[in-house]
Amino acid sequence: MPDRIAIWLLLIALGGCGSKPADLPDPGQWRVINYWAIWCTPCRTEIPELNTLHQETPLRVFGVNFEGQTGDKLAAQAAELGITFPLLELDPGPSLGQARPRVLPTTWLVNPEGVVTDTLVGPQTQASILRVWEARRSESLQTSRPGPLPEGP
């Protein structure tokens, strides 16, 4: 029984009680979270696409170093890969209710409410991410439209 209590307390400490929106920059915006590593060849291929996506579209791109690098080491690796979009030093996965990716690169599309709508595995292009975003944005616009007004007497 004490083991169950210890596990329960650990889960609360790690995950918190209840759900709350993720603490991501640019709340209320569609965001792209990309997991990358310096040794990941497909990551190197997609970085220029993600840079362009961040600079030329309404989507906000954020990078997460798969190995958890921070500070000067993170900055040096990002410079080596030519990353120009912002980097998150803390993995947002737990606050988004997502497990750590097992395959790189992995990219999450996060809606304005802070919910991961899609997990894209493998190298992405600006066009591939925009296709998914347009589909999800269209779906959310359709579900948020009010229904027809009732006809009067």
Side-chain angles (χ1 to χ4, degrees):
M1 183 71 154
D3 290 337
R4 287 185 188 169
I5 293 171
I7 291 171
W8 182 76
L9 290 173
L10 180 62
L11 290 174
I12 289 175
L14 293 175
C17 297
S19 61
K20 65 179 182 86
D23 293 326
L24 291 175
D26 295 337
Q29 302 294 317
W30 284 89
R31 287 149 297 175
V32 172
I33 309 297
N34 176 260
Y35 285 82
W36 60 274
I38 194 78
W39 45 262
C40 171
T41 301
C43 298
R44 291 174 179 266
T45 302
E46 77 175 353
I47 295 296
E49 296 281 336
L50 295 169
N51 286 337
T52 302
L53 184 72
H54 183 76
Q55 293 164 0
E56 298 180 2
T57 74
L59 290 170
R60 304 294 38 153
V61 178
F62 299 96
V64 178
N65 180 269
F66 183 75
E67 296 177 311
Q69 301 296 335
T70 60
D72 292 341
K73 193 160 188 175
L74 176 62
Q77 289 184 2
E80 183 178 329
L81 293 180
I83 296 173
T84 60
F85 49 86
L87 301 173
L88 304 175
E89 287 197 353
L90 295 176
D91 184 349
S95 66
L96 291 167
Q98 299 294 310
R100 178 184 164 104
R102 294 181 180 190
V103 176
L104 290 182
T106 292
T107 303
W108 294 336
L109 181 63
V110 181
N111 71 14
E113 290 76 36
V115 175
V116 175
T117 62
D118 294 271
T119 298
L120 310 172
V121 178
Q124 301 300 311
T125 64
Q126 179 178 350
S128 69
I129 295 171
L130 286 173
R131 270 193 304 275
V132 174
W133 174 60
E134 287 292 340
R136 294 302 167 258
R137 193 172 67 131
S138 176
E139 289 171 5
S140 69
L141 290 174
Q142 289 175 0
T143 59
S144 66
R145 287 187 186 142
L149 295 174
E151 294 185 27

